[in-house]
Amino acid sequence: MLSSVKGFLRFAGGRLVLLVLASALIFSCMALLPGDPAEVILGVDAQPETLAALHHKMGLDQPFAVQYVQWLGRLFQGNFGESYSYNVPVWQLLSERLQLSAPLAGLALVLAVALGVPLGGLAAIKRGSSADIVLMGGIQLTKAVPDFWLGMVLTGFFALTLHWLPAGGFAGWESGPWPAFKSLLLPAVALALPQAAVLARYTRSAVIAVLEEPFVLTARAHGLSEPAVLLRHVLPRSLPPVLAVLSLQIPLLLSGTIIVENVFNLKGTGALLLDAVNQRDVPVVQICVLLIVALVIFEKGLSERVENRLNPRAHSDKEEQGV
């Protein structure tokens, strides 16, 4: 029990250090951007005295290091600042937009796994057959298609031609689960298909590598059926490399929402981030980017722990090599 607590504290502490370093980098990049936030708020015709007063109110007349320490202190207190453009707390904006973006990213992730892993496994089992060739050809083609272009194609076919799904916009959760789900389905598919193609390719390679192991031949020799061999022996040992690839795809899904949300006119965090960049709304940009970085840092750490649990031998080999 004590070792588990120590392990958790070491894990959380390491991620917190990475997050603080990332916050310093994000704050520095925002400071280097051209333009004056006070001038954006007041307009280019603002008087110098008014600009100076707003600089003092916003703390922009302080040295850079002091500004960063004050900003970091406010973050630890749960104060994420106030949007320059909307004049509301940043966290209020984010919490409203996350009600759309979080389900969208989650649905896209579920679709990517539900499509990519079975198709990759099927291609591995049918290796060298016509089914494998067709599947791999489709996977390569889908992987090369940009998600925003795929979104436009899906909209043209399913929304404008067949009229099965809405072409854009979000119905809102207050309209009911089914209308909201229909609003998110096309953008989720546009996000998921390229990632599913990548996941299928690596799943195929992982399953083929395990199928060539001697213990698979031994299991078959003991009379186990092919489904039992696949489910009990091949699939569990194929999961660690697949999870490693999946952990790398989650940041791509998060960044993909920025483009896809604008293609489908969805007012989520991606659209909020783009608007904030265009309007020089520094507090919103800082918190949005920091939130994405935090999700990636903690998700990567959790995926590594899951991989170590699934494949403890590889973990011990890494420790012996000092990795």
Side-chain angles (χ1 to χ4, degrees):
M1 180 67 179
L2 184 59
S3 61
S4 300
V5 173
K6 288 182 178 179
F8 173 77
L9 291 176
R10 186 164 56 249
F11 165 78
R15 266 58 202 176
L16 185 59
V17 171
L18 286 176
L19 191 57
V20 171
L21 293 175
S23 71
L25 180 61
I26 293 169
F27 192 86
S28 302
C29 291
M30 292 298 102
L32 293 175
L33 287 177
D36 184 354
E39 191 174 283
V40 171
I41 296 173
L42 297 175
V44 293
D45 298 328
Q47 297 296 321
E49 304 83 23
T50 310
L51 282 173
L54 186 56
H55 281 157
H56 180 72
K57 180 181 178 181
M58 298 168 64
L60 297 178
D61 56 348
Q62 300 286 336
F64 173 79
V66 174
Q67 292 183 44
Y68 170 69
V69 171
Q70 291 176 346
W71 177 70
L72 192 62
R74 290 194 295 269
L75 287 184
F76 279 110
Q77 295 172 6
N79 181 3
F80 297 95
E82 187 170 296
S83 167
Y84 296 161
S85 304
Y86 298 93
N87 293 320
V88 296
V90 174
W91 183 245
Q92 180 181 331
L93 279 175
L94 271 179
S95 60
E96 294 172 355
R97 302 300 182 96
L98 282 172
Q99 295 178 23
L100 188 155
S101 296
L104 173 60
L107 180 59
L109 182 62
V110 170
L111 290 175
V113 174
L115 291 172
V117 173
L119 289 178
L122 179 62
I125 296 169
K126 302 291 185 180
R127 178 176 46 165
S129 66
S130 57
D132 181 29
I133 295 172
V134 171
L135 282 173
M136 290 308 297
I139 287 169
Q140 293 294 336
L141 179 63
T142 307
K143 190 177 67 171
V145 176
D147 45 21
F148 68 88
W149 186 85
L150 186 59
M152 291 187 288
V153 172
L154 291 172
T155 301
F157 184 68
F158 288 101
L160 302 181
T161 302
L162 298 178
H163 304 287
W164 288 358
L165 296 167
F170 183 55
W173 296 110
E174 63 277 0
S175 63
W178 178 240
F181 175 78
K182 287 173 63 177
S183 302
L184 296 178
L185 187 56
L186 281 183
V189 171
L191 278 172
L193 285 181
Q195 304 307 321
V198 175
L199 197 59
R201 179 185 173 190
Y202 281 94
T203 301
R204 179 182 182 273
S205 300
V207 172
I208 288 175
V210 176
L211 285 172
E212 294 175 349
E213 293 288 337
F215 69 85
V216 175
L217 183 61
T218 304
R220 288 170 175 162
H222 280 80
L224 284 179
S225 64
E226 195 65 20
V229 171
L230 292 172
L231 292 176
R232 291 172 55 183
H233 297 283
V234 176
L235 183 59
R237 289 169 173 81
S238 305
L239 284 179
V242 174
L243 284 175
V245 174
L246 184 61
S247 69
L248 297 175
Q249 289 182 289
I250 290 177
L252 297 177
L253 281 174
L254 294 175
S255 61
T257 57
I258 298 174
I259 300 174
V260 170
E261 284 181 2
N262 282 273
V263 171
F264 286 91
N265 192 29
L266 299 173
K267 301 302 181 182
T269 54
L272 176 65
L273 179 57
L274 275 184
D275 290 343
V277 171
N278 292 330
Q279 297 168 3
R280 194 67 165 78
D281 198 342
V282 175
V284 175
V285 177
Q286 287 173 332
I287 299 302
C288 284
V289 176
L290 188 62
L291 177 62
I292 294 173
V293 171
L295 288 173
V296 172
I297 288 175
F298 282 93
E299 172 274 325
K300 183 62 178 173
L302 288 174
S303 67
E304 288 176 356
R305 293 175 71 87
V306 173
E307 290 173 41
N308 294 337
R309 289 292 182 91
L310 292 173
N311 193 1
R313 186 176 63 181
H315 176 56
S316 61
D317 291 342
K318 286 182 180 181
E319 287 185 340
E320 290 176 2
Q321 297 170 8
V323 178

